[in-house]
Each structure stands twice: as C-alpha cells, then as structure tokens.
Amino acid sequence: MRIRATVAAVSGALALSALAVPAAQADDGRTWTPDFELSAPEHSDGRMAARAVTAYGDLKITKAVVNGGKPIVVGTTAPKKVTVAITATDDSGIADASTVLWIGSGLESEDSFGFSQNEEAAKCKAANATTSTCTLTVTVDPAWLINSDSTSWKVGAAVLSKDGQVVQNDVFARARLQRLSRLTVNAAPEPVKKGRTITVTGKLSRANWETDTYKGYTGQSVKLQFRKKTSSTYTTVKTIKTNSTGALKTTVKASVDGYWRYSFAGTSTTPAVTTAGDFVDVK
C-alpha cells in the first residue's frame, strides 16, 4: 500500500493547498495583493491545512463543474487531467480562482488527501461585466491512489474579485472518482452450424491502483447481447455474473449470422463498458 503521508514532500503539486489565490491586476496595470489571507497552518508532516474563509461583500460562487459533469475515470498508470470550471459573480468582476479535489474528514485533518490545481493560471472568461467562469486543470495521478479512493470527492473552490473580495468554500461541490474498467468477448466456434452451441467467453476487469494492474471484477451482472447481421440493434439474450476471477462464460444456440457482445452497466466505483461485437458466421 502506498504511504500517502509523503505526498506533499514528494511533489508540491499533489499536496493539499489552502486554495491560495494569486494577486490581482489593478486597472492601471500594476500588480497588487488584496488584503486577505488564504494561507493556513501546516500539519506536523508539512502538509498545508486549510480553513474556511468567510465571504464578504457581494462576491458569490454560483457553480462548479468538474470534468464536464462526468465521473473522473482513472486507469493504472496514466495521469488524468481534469478541468474544473468555477463560475462566480461580483459587481466589480472576477479576477481569479483556485481549486482542490480532496477526500477526508476536513482539510485541516490528518486524514485529508487530494490534488490541487496545476501551475497554470486560471483562464477566466467573462459572461458579462459581473460574472465569469474560471477554468482550471487538476491532474489526478493514479500513482498516489488506493482502491478505496473510488468514491465521492470534495471540490474546494476559492474566488477573488477585481476589487479584492474573496470567498472560499472547502466543499462547494462533489465529483466521483472511478476505476477504469475493461471488458472482453469471444464467441466460438466460428463458423458454426445452425442449431449447434456457441460458447461466449469474456472477462470484466478494472484498475487496481495499489498494484498498477487490472484485476477481475467479481460477482458483477453482465448482459450478453446479440444483433443480427442485417440489424443495427442489439437485444439482451441473458444476464450472467462474473466468477471469482472476473471471467464470463455462457452458451447459446446458433440460429443466424450476427454479432455477440457483453455489456456492463457500471457501478458507483466503476464505469460502464461494452465490448465491440464478435461476429459468428452460421452455416
């Protein structure tokens, strides 16, 4: 199992931030630092804690969308870049934003872990004089994940207005993190005589973040589906369950030429996946 307490020491980009908002730009081009502080005390292991900052003035965060509203699906090795779009409004306009994706009992707690935004500045696009949507990128690296992390993550958001107001919400929204799934199918024999038995095998597996491999997903219901060669529509023939290694195996009678596939509906921790069709020529 990974020792995640060392994350901050290894890479500052992976450490829990305090949603620190950069300095704003004055109308005359000078850079200035607003009169507020988003920094917070450090934990004993060097990670930054965070605290809620009470908003003042009319600055409001109105929306935060992670990964286009879809679950974040991560495999075994490749880091996943995720967009976080934060919409806010203030009578002076929006200067900047910051974000962090995290899990734990609280950002000040020792059990907290997360991914802060990448070093690139937020890209803020104004909808009008008062409202902007600021887009940031967060990289979720499976090298720091354990399997129990496939759950609902908290989305912290902080925004700075052009007149120096600030608002921070440690849990403004939530985003689901899932383990990438894989599914295979093989229908045999090919070709086969009409009325004979076809055996359809396959395997459902998903990313194991603790071993960097794909392991069988056991006890899951998977649909066996078929479409005739002359059709564009699949129909479900039967539903079977994966065995103790994630394997699938069932038999059907050959009737007409067509394509066989397996389809998994997904779970809260694992996304849906469907194979391509495997063609069987019936003589």
Side-chain angles (χ1 to χ4, degrees), residues 10-280:
V10 173
S11 174
L14 298 180
L16 283 175
S17 76
L19 297 176
V21 183
Q25 191 85 21
D27 293 339
D28 61 1
R30 292 179 293 107
T31 299
W32 56 279
T33 302
D35 186 21
F36 65 85
E37 185 180 25
L38 284 180
S39 60
E42 291 186 355
H43 290 304
S44 58
D45 61 7
R47 290 182 298 113
M48 292 298 294
R51 62 190 180 199
V53 175
T54 303
Y56 61 91
D58 53 4
L59 173 60
K60 292 181 181 178
I61 301 173
T62 59
K63 190 176 183 181
V65 178
V66 179
N67 199 39
K70 299 178 181 179
I72 304 166
V73 180
V74 181
T76 57
T77 57
K80 175 80 171 184
K81 287 190 175 182
V82 180
T83 60
V84 181
I86 300 171
T87 302
T89 184
D90 182 77
D91 59 1
S92 70
I94 304 302
D96 211 335
S98 186
T99 191
V100 63
L101 307 181
W102 65 285
I103 51 177
S105 58
L107 273 177
E108 295 185 8
S109 302
E110 291 293 335
D111 66 348
S112 297
F113 170 76
F115 299 96
S116 57
Q117 70 200 54
N118 295 352
E119 293 181 0
E120 296 86 354
K123 297 179 180 178
C124 296
K125 184 177 181 180
N128 50 52
T130 62
T131 303
S132 292
T133 296
C134 297
T135 302
L136 306 110
T137 302
V138 177
T139 299
V140 179
D141 191 341
W144 297 106
L145 296 173
I146 58 176
N147 293 331
S148 60
D149 291 339
S150 54
T151 186
S152 177
W153 283 54
K154 299 159 187 173
V155 183
V159 175
L160 176 70
S161 68
K162 290 183 177 179
D163 61 359
Q165 297 176 24
V166 63
V167 61
Q168 175 177 325
N169 189 323
D170 292 346
V171 193
F172 183 82
R174 290 183 178 268
R176 182 158 292 278
L177 185 63
Q178 294 182 323
R179 298 158 62 179
L180 180 64
S181 54
R182 291 179 173 177
L183 184 60
T184 62
V185 66
N186 182 57
E190 306 171 50
V192 64
K193 290 185 178 181
K194 185 174 182 179
R196 294 288 180 89
T197 297
I198 298 171
T199 300
V200 188
T201 57
K203 184 173 182 177
L204 175 64
S205 57
R206 60 177 177 167
N208 185 317
W209 292 327
E210 295 167 20
T211 61
D212 299 331
T213 59
Y214 285 84
K215 296 293 186 181
Y217 197 8
T218 66
Q220 299 303 307
S221 295
V222 179
K223 293 179 180 179
L224 175 65
Q225 299 180 326
F226 176 76
R227 74 172 175 90
K228 295 180 181 179
K229 182 180 179 180
T230 56
S231 173
S232 60
T233 304
Y234 278 92
T235 58
T236 298
V237 176
K238 63 174 72 173
T239 299
I240 63 174
K241 284 193 173 183
T242 58
N243 68 9
S244 59
T245 64
L248 295 157
K249 184 177 181 179
T250 190
T251 59
V252 290
K253 293 294 184 180
S255 56
V256 295
D257 293 352
Y259 298 84
W260 295 92
R261 74 180 188 184
Y262 279 123
S263 182
F264 172 60
T267 63
S268 63
T269 63
T270 310
V273 61
T274 299
T275 68
D278 186 21
F279 182 73
V280 175

